[in-house]
Amino acid sequence: MSIVHPGKSGSSTAPRSEPDGRQRLADRPISFGIRARMLAAVGAACVTVLALTGAVIAVQLGAIETSARLEARNLAASVAYSVAFNQDSLQAYVEGLDDLYKRDLFIVDRERRTMADIVQSELGEIYREDRGGEIEATMRDGVARGFVEISAQHPSGAKQLVVPLHDAPRPNARIVGAVVLEYTEIARQLFEAEVGTLYLVGIAGLAASLGIAVFGLRVTSRIVRGVRQLHQAVREFSRETPPPPLTPQDRDEIGELTLAFNAMSEDLQQSYRELLLETEMANEAARQVEILAYTDKLTGLANRTQYARSMAQAMAEAARYQRRLALVVVDLDRFKNVNDTLGHEAGDALLIEMAERLSRCMRESDLIARMGGDEFVLLLPEVDQPERLGVVARKLLKALSQPLRLEGQELRVTASVGISIYPEDGGDEPTLMKHADIALYQAKEDGRNGFAFYSPALNRHSIERLAFETELQRAFDQGQLQVHYQPKVLAADGRIKGVEALLRWPHPEMGAVSPAKFIPVAEETGLIVPLGRWVLEEACRQQVAWKREGRPDLVMAVNLSARQFSDEALFDDVASIVTATAIDPGNLELEITESMLMRDIERASSLLGRFKRMGLRLAVDDFGTGYSSLANLRRFPIDTLKIDRAFVRDLEGSGEDQAIAQAIITMAKSLGLNVVAEGVETLPQVDFLRDRGCDELQGFYFSKAVPAQELLALLSR
């Protein structure tokens, strides 16, 4: 901070010439009396103090205004960045910001028409209150601007700041509008926070000035020596080199004035130090805002914004120097199962650990970014030997698959990796990312825990996948899909006790399409919800039809998918189908996997309780493959436990599977549950399960899933 001396009055006596053409102040002859010089010196000192005080106050006011504009610009830029992700609910987003921060802002489009505003009456109106055209200028060149709005709503003027709104979260994206934020309130709050300091500086300046005036009037014979000392100190102050504390020459008025000057100097220097500290804090806050803007909060890795910026720079350098770069997409396998079963805190801990493992594997020049969820992107800016990327991928997979403990469970989490290379696989970032994603999908289809390089053949495979999704939707719309029924027999005598409804797709050209192929596609596209509703209704109608024909009173079991179970309309759908088909609720059994139950225990318990009060039967399918236990099952009103086929397949040769099956049967019986073993294919399996007390058996040993008419033949045996 520069402290400027107020300048001195001229002398009527001609100055004595110096060799350099200037006259030294100390050599001027005395032209006034001692009292006159004292009054002049006191006046000069008072003006100096007031000027310095005013300068300090002006600097602080300027800092307050700068801080207000900086906060307003950062908040408005953050809003514009967030809106670029989702422009479908602008009004709700703006109203939410008003509830949270009490900040008045609105959003306009390229035509200056209001798209979102806290004052809903302004929606759709063209904003014309920026007299200087600041909004249009910002949407034209992308530079944030401030202006003062004077309108009926703000007759005394409101400080506004406008930033551009892009159609995507990229610096070079097209500008589609602007975010305008009023920062009058921000400036007022910052002013109120600093008003005490301003008053303190003003009072200190006034007090010092008054003290100098009082002491000056009492100075007499020793004025020359004391004033010269003070004058020299002020000159040093004006050179931004504050002098050390002055020593009074005598214990008189001059001495008191000297002490007062020392106090004033310390106050001003303290104010200056405080101002410097506040400036440093503001700069640090700006740096923190920048860090947050470019860093993933959970893992500390780069986020999408930093990735986009680094990718653009890396591609520009690669094009300039004709180098290769690699884009590596890493996706954790079945992360959702861990997240749903052990909870989001465990999922976050897993992501942090995986991020640290990735960081340890990569070079300092490589960029690691978290794109959201469990997806990571690695940017390798210099790739001399593309074939070495396979070694890098294996190193990553090995590091990520090392066991770790979460919530008392030892887990092995694998990953899948997709790789694309510039310029062979694409000349721009979107193309490289798309091709890396295609390679990632191929790695997952190949069995996960592996990697794949992009090739044009994979692109054709991706197109085939899209065509398959379209074909599945068409098959559902045109009624190609069928419901088959697999019998469940009593282990004691082999009588058919119930059936399980299973979906089949007899394609007119592809033949029988495996459920393992089309069910995951239906899950990913969301088609599984209407498809599951249709299967449930068809199965209920078939059970009622058999009953009317005098067939045995079979229990109809229907699987619920994970997306069905998460659907808020599930209970209403089941209730309406039960009513519409007139099925006896006791003859309908809903099968839910244990991972679905453990995802949200409270909701699952409540929903199953409602089903149970309706009279339905409930079964847990694929038990033993997840993270739950029989103790957890006490919380749910289930009737049946199904042993997963993975523990039945090797019963004849695996002592471990025999022990697991025996333990499940024993503990399930202790809870009063009916036990069904699925995947039974041999007579030794039948004998083992029957001898251990398993109630029902299901599998190819008895019958595969067959159409309704073929099942009648089985019932007639």
Side-chain angles (χ1 to χ4, degrees):
M1 179 178 68
S2 176
I3 303 179
V4 182
H5 195 281
K8 304 167 182 61
S9 58
S11 172
S12 59
T13 304
R16 181 163 52 92
S17 298
E18 295 246 49
D20 60 359
R22 294 176 297 174
Q23 184 180 33
R24 296 185 183 277
L25 181 62
D27 296 333
R28 290 181 180 179
I30 298 175
S31 58
F32 297 99
I34 294 177
R35 186 174 180 82
R37 287 181 59 81
M38 179 58 190
L39 292 176
V42 169
C46 290
V47 171
T48 300
V49 171
L50 293 177
L52 293 176
T53 303
V56 172
I57 293 175
V59 170
Q60 287 184 303
L61 290 175
I64 290 172
E65 176 66 18
T66 300
S67 298
R69 287 175 65 90
L70 178 61
E71 181 177 342
R73 185 184 67 184
N74 290 340
L75 178 57
S78 176
V79 172
Y81 177 78
S82 301
V83 167
F85 280 102
N86 182 8
Q87 302 186 13
D88 297 333
S89 56
L90 298 182
Q91 183 62 24
Y93 183 73
V94 169
E95 292 175 354
L97 283 176
D98 181 58
D99 292 338
L100 182 60
Y101 296 110
K102 302 301 180 185
R103 298 291 187 242
D104 185 6
L105 64 87
F106 58 92
I107 302 174
V108 299
D109 59 16
R110 291 289 299 190
E111 305 301 324
R112 297 159 58 101
R113 195 174 303 280
T114 304
M115 301 164 59
D117 196 335
I118 297 171
V119 182
Q120 296 191 5
S121 61
E122 298 293 335
L123 294 177
E125 297 295 327
I126 296 178
Y127 183 80
R128 303 182 185 278
E129 302 303 331
D130 57 326
R131 308 298 172 85
E134 288 82 3
I135 292 180
E136 287 186 353
T138 294
M139 290 191 290
R140 184 170 55 254
D141 58 17
V143 178
R145 288 176 171 83
F147 63 94
V148 177
E149 172 189 341
I150 300 178
S151 61
Q153 186 179 357
H154 302 289
S156 59
K159 298 179 180 180
Q160 304 281 10
L161 192 133
V162 55
V163 299
L165 173 63
H166 299 271
D167 62 350
R170 302 190 307 273
N172 59 348
R174 184 170 61 90
I175 297 176
V176 297
V179 176
V180 184
L181 170 67
E182 178 188 352
Y183 68 97
T184 305
E185 182 64 15
I186 298 175
R188 184 189 65 79
Q189 291 174 355
L190 290 176
F191 177 81
E192 290 178 353
E194 295 296 329
V195 69
T197 301
L198 295 174
Y199 277 124
L200 180 62
V201 172
I203 292 172
L206 290 174
S209 178
L210 180 60
I212 291 173
V214 171
F215 288 127
L217 293 175
R218 300 176 59 185
V219 172
T220 56
S221 61
R222 301 177 184 85
I223 187 63
V224 176
R225 184 174 56 184
V227 169
R228 284 182 177 176
Q229 184 185 34
L230 291 173
H231 180 260
Q232 182 63 31
V234 172
R235 288 179 64 86
E236 292 179 4
F237 222 121
S238 68
R239 298 190 187 101
E240 300 185 13
T241 56
L246 302 177
T247 302
Q249 300 296 319
D250 297 290
R251 298 180 60 85
D252 56 8
E253 291 84 349
I254 295 295
E256 294 297 323
L257 181 58
T258 302
L259 294 176
F261 178 83
N262 287 340
M264 181 200 69
S265 175
E266 179 59 30
D267 287 343
L268 290 175
Q269 291 182 58
Q270 179 63 28
S271 298
Y272 177 54
R273 288 192 292 269
E274 291 177 356
L275 184 59
L276 284 179
L277 179 60
E278 291 173 1
T279 303
E280 291 176 359
M281 292 175 63
N283 292 337
E284 179 62 25
R287 287 192 293 270
Q288 291 299 323
V289 168
E290 183 174 2
I291 291 174
L292 291 175
Y294 295 105
T295 304
D296 177 59
K297 183 170 64 174
L298 177 64
T299 62
L301 300 177
N303 61 7
R304 286 180 178 271
T305 304
Q306 178 62 27
Y307 158 76
R309 189 166 69 169
S310 300
M311 185 65 175
Q313 180 180 353
M315 292 195 70
E317 292 181 358
R320 180 183 307 164
Y321 300 110
Q322 297 184 345
R323 294 196 300 240
R324 290 186 176 93
L325 65 81
L327 192 62
V328 181
V329 179
V330 180
D331 189 83
L332 302 183
D333 298 331
R334 299 182 180 87
F335 170 74
K336 191 174 184 297
N337 290 345
V338 177
N339 214 25
D340 292 342
T341 304
L342 299 182
H344 290 289
E345 290 186 1
D348 289 347
L350 174 61
L351 290 174
I352 293 171
E353 174 63 23
M354 294 298 107
E356 292 177 354
R357 294 184 182 186
L358 288 173
S359 300
R360 290 195 294 267
C361 291
M362 305 308 294
R363 302 172 300 183
E364 186 175 347
S365 60
D366 300 331
L367 175 76
I368 309 174
R370 180 182 175 225
M371 306 299 282
D374 60 330
E375 183 181 6
F376 299 88
V377 170
L378 282 59
L379 172 60
L380 284 64
E382 297 183 22
V383 178
D384 297 330
Q385 298 176 302
E387 59 273 11
R388 292 284 298 170
L389 291 173
V391 177
V392 174
R394 292 186 185 92
K395 181 180 178 182
L396 292 174
L397 294 173
K398 181 178 180 181
L400 295 177
S401 63
Q402 295 300 311
L404 73 158
R405 296 193 67 82
L406 285 177
E407 300 293 329
Q409 300 275 353
E410 182 173 283
L411 305 179
R412 286 182 180 269
V413 178
T414 61
S416 298
V417 175
I419 306 171
S420 62
I421 303 172
Y422 170 89
E424 288 88 340
D425 298 333
D428 54 66
E429 189 277 336
T431 302
L432 283 175
M433 179 61 77
K434 181 181 73 173
H435 289 169
D437 282 336
I438 291 173
L440 172 68
Y441 180 78
Q442 182 61 42
K444 286 185 174 293
E445 282 211 335
D446 290 342
R448 305 177 188 268
N449 194 25
F451 66 93
F453 287 88
Y454 170 77
S455 69
L458 294 183
N459 199 35
R460 291 193 296 271
H461 177 79
S462 180
I463 295 174
E464 292 171 0
R465 165 61 182 263
L466 182 61
F468 185 80
E469 292 177 3
T470 304
E471 189 70 16
L472 177 58
Q473 180 67 57
R474 184 183 298 113
F476 179 54
D477 295 338
Q478 296 179 355
Q480 290 183 12
L481 301 176
Q482 299 177 1
V483 180
H484 287 193
Y485 304 92
Q486 186 174 33
K488 295 191 290 185
V489 304
L490 292 173
D493 55 18
R495 287 186 298 110
I496 297 178
K497 176 66 174 179
V499 294
E500 179 179 356
L502 298 170
L503 188 61
R504 294 294 182 263
W505 183 8
H507 193 278
E509 297 177 0
M510 294 186 290
V513 182
S514 170
K517 183 176 182 181
F518 71 81
I519 291 296
V521 174
E523 284 274 5
E524 293 174 12
T525 59
L527 180 62
I528 195 67
V529 174
L531 196 55
R533 189 184 304 117
W534 174 77
V535 170
L536 178 63
E537 184 172 0
E538 286 293 306
C540 290
R541 293 190 186 281
Q542 185 60 65
Q543 199 279 342
V544 172
W546 283 335
K547 188 173 183 179
R548 288 174 180 169
E549 294 172 4
R551 303 298 178 182
D553 205 8
L554 301 177
V555 174
M556 178 64 70
V558 181
N559 290 291
L560 295 180
S561 71
R563 293 192 67 157
Q564 274 183 285
F565 196 69
S566 300
D567 187 8
E568 294 297 330
L570 174 62
F571 180 81
D572 293 336
D573 288 343
V574 173
S576 62
I577 290 173
V578 169
T579 302
T581 60
I583 189 173
D584 181 356
N587 288 331
L588 176 60
E589 184 173 73
L590 301 180
E591 294 189 0
I592 306 101
T593 63
E594 60 171 320
S595 61
M596 290 158 55
L597 293 178
M598 303 309 296
R599 181 177 307 166
D600 186 342
I601 293 178
E602 296 302 326
R603 178 183 179 276
S605 179
S606 174
L607 182 59
L608 295 188
R610 296 175 70 188
F611 282 140
K612 197 62 182 174
R613 287 190 292 275
M614 190 192 301
L616 303 181
R617 296 177 58 83
L618 301 171
V620 174
D621 193 13
D622 297 340
F623 184 79
T625 61
Y627 299 103
S628 67
S629 65
L630 284 171
N632 288 327
L633 297 181
R634 294 177 181 272
R635 307 184 60 173
F636 306 108
I638 61 174
D639 304 287
T640 300
L641 196 65
K642 297 189 72 174
I643 304 175
D644 185 72
R645 66 183 66 248
F647 303 115
V648 175
R649 183 185 305 115
D650 298 325
L651 274 180
E652 300 172 48
S654 172
E656 182 179 355
D657 286 347
Q658 290 179 3
I660 292 174
Q662 176 68 75
I664 293 175
I665 294 171
T666 301
M667 289 187 287
K669 288 297 182 180
S670 69
L671 296 176
L673 301 178
N674 186 54
V675 184
V676 178
E678 56 184 356
V680 178
E681 298 181 358
T682 66
L683 180 58
Q685 293 172 353
V686 173
D687 293 338
F688 178 90
L689 294 166
R690 182 181 59 240
D691 294 343
R692 268 64 177 181
C694 186
D695 299 294
E696 298 177 30
L697 308 175
Q698 177 184 355
F700 284 0
Y701 180 79
F702 304 100
S703 173
K704 64 179 182 179
V706 296
Q709 292 300 320
E710 292 185 27
L711 185 69
L712 294 179
L714 296 175
L715 293 172
S716 301
R717 292 180 183 175

